[in-house]
Amino acid sequence: MLFGLFKKKDHRYYQTQGAKFLAAERYADARVDFLEALRLCPADAANDQGEIRQGLDHSGNRLGELNLEEGEHSLNQGELQKAFDHFTLAGELAADQGIKAKATAGLARVQQGDAPQSAPVAAAAAPTAAAAPAKEVAGPYKPHGGGSCTSCGTHAHHKPLEAEPAGFDLAEEDQFHLMVAPLPGDLPARYGAMGSKFAQAYLMIHDGKDANALPVLQEMLLSGENDIVLYEVALIMFRAGRIHESEGLLNRALLVNSQNGMVYLALVQLLAGGGRYAEAIALVERMQAEDVMADQAQFILGELYETTGDEAKAIEMWSKALEMPTVARAAAEKLVPILGSQGRTEEVKYLAKKYLKGCC
């Protein structure tokens, strides 16, 4: 959970993550990881490519179906802009031609103004989707920018649905919002509000073009300190081997915003990677004191103590983590082999039954 932020990941890592998200019905997150897996997958890994594309199709189709449902609901409520956005995204994301056909038909109805003229002004919005006010529309509807539903809070402007299959290509703005959606807390919204220049730099980083992204981010810092920009520059510096500069940038980011959990995690890993475990532990304890990602912090303490060889302390930290639902399973997975090696079979059975039921 901790020791992977800076580590270079291959296509199988993202393929596995995508499969986990798919099983958990987190389709937008799954699609992001499958797209990254496909980008990194070697040309000679035909079997893996096939499985990744199947995952992309599955997640895209489910997102398409969800957007069809929201599009119909918005259309029935007279919210034509929202309906247009949902039907457009359904057609872009889905691989299934049946879903695409339904999306095309939905768009045709929207553009014909096919909605009740006496529809209520307020409608049930999709979770976290940006909604345009409902309007009475006379004549064919002409779309403008608005919100859409990807089940993860995407807000994007979409082009009209094209007749040909969209394949795996998404508009850059959609790619950006899908990539930042899995970030913790308020970070997806904050990243989304950073503007187009930052989004372009973020996509460059994602494509391995740190050298192109760096001057863009540095120019943004000229107008003022920003914890998100400092964090992204810090990661670039770390990947370039400029560890001291990376650490300085992360500390500056914490001065700007002491509630940014990703900055804490990056700095903890940097310290631990340099063997500075006492400092890393102190920083995680600061996270707990300030109630920043407290569940993750509790789990990470176990990892740090385990790495230093303090097995008893690691057990203590992970035992406390069992009380936190978001990390309880991961903590149990850590505890079971350690307790098993100590012959504590009854505790192992209890943990396996309570926390690991159905675990492969």
Side-chain angles (χ1 to χ4, degrees), residues 61-330:
N61 287 339
R62 286 298 294 127
L63 288 170
E65 290 169 349
L66 291 169
N67 276 279
L68 281 181
E69 294 174 7
E70 292 297 334
E72 289 293 340
H73 176 77
S74 298
L75 188 58
N76 289 335
Q77 296 298 315
E79 295 185 329
L80 298 186
Q81 176 58 49
K82 283 184 65 180
F84 176 87
D85 290 334
H86 287 302
F87 286 135
T88 298
L89 195 56
E92 290 178 346
L93 293 175
D96 182 83
Q97 293 302 312
I99 298 173
K100 286 181 177 292
K102 290 179 181 178
T104 301
L107 281 173
R109 291 164 59 199
V110 170
Q111 292 169 332
Q112 291 167 6
D114 184 9
Q117 294 301 301
S118 59
V121 172
T128 69
K135 300 178 182 178
E136 290 187 0
V137 180
Y141 176 69
K142 298 185 182 299
H144 56 82
S148 57
C149 172
T150 64
S151 80
C152 67
T154 297
H155 303 95
H157 182 150
H158 302 291
K159 63 182 183 300
L161 180 63
E162 298 172 349
E164 66 272 19
F168 300 119
D169 294 327
L170 287 175
E172 288 186 347
E173 189 174 358
D174 291 331
Q175 292 180 39
F176 171 69
H177 285 293
L178 285 171
M179 287 174 192
V180 302
L183 295 175
D186 64 350
L187 286 177
R190 292 190 62 216
Y191 269 69
M194 290 293 293
S196 59
K197 182 182 293 187
F198 175 83
Q200 288 290 332
Y202 192 87
L203 291 174
M204 291 177 194
I205 293 170
H206 183 74
D207 288 335
K209 300 176 181 177
D210 283 359
N212 299 95
L214 182 58
V216 177
L217 297 176
Q218 289 175 325
E219 182 182 351
M220 292 182 70
L221 288 176
L222 293 176
S223 61
E225 299 272 85
N226 180 285
D227 57 303
I228 290 175
V229 179
L230 288 166
Y231 168 80
E232 295 297 338
V233 175
L235 295 189
I236 291 175
M237 292 301 175
F238 187 94
R239 288 190 291 270
R242 297 161 66 174
I243 310 302
H244 181 72
E245 291 176 69
S246 179
E247 181 178 352
L249 288 161
L250 292 171
N251 280 314
R252 282 168 58 188
L254 283 183
L255 289 175
V256 174
N257 180 7
S258 64
Q259 296 295 302
N260 189 326
M262 293 300 293
V263 177
Y264 279 104
L265 295 181
L267 188 52
V268 168
Q269 182 168 329
L270 184 150
L271 294 171
R276 297 157 63 184
Y277 295 109
E279 293 175 72
I281 289 171
L283 186 59
V284 177
E285 290 173 343
R286 175 182 165 188
M287 290 177 66
Q288 292 180 310
E290 298 191 15
D291 196 26
V292 177
M293 298 177 68
D295 53 349
Q296 302 290 322
Q298 187 64 51
F299 183 90
I300 289 168
L301 281 176
E303 288 191 305
L304 290 170
Y305 281 117
E306 180 191 38
T307 304
T308 62
D310 192 340
E311 193 171 84
K313 199 69 174 176
I315 292 174
E316 178 187 344
M317 296 300 106
W318 285 325
S319 295
K320 290 181 180 178
L322 292 173
E323 301 171 8
M324 302 174 176
T326 53
V327 294
R329 185 186 182 96

Side-chain angles (χ1 to χ4, degrees), residues 318-349:
W318 285 325
S319 295
K320 290 181 180 178
L322 292 173
E323 301 171 8
M324 302 174 176
T326 53
V327 294
R329 185 186 182 96
E333 290 173 346
K334 287 286 191 178
L335 286 168
V336 163
I338 296 176
L339 297 177
S341 68
Q342 296 178 355
R344 298 161 66 174
T345 55
E346 291 303 315
E347 293 171 83
V348 168
K349 290 178 182 177

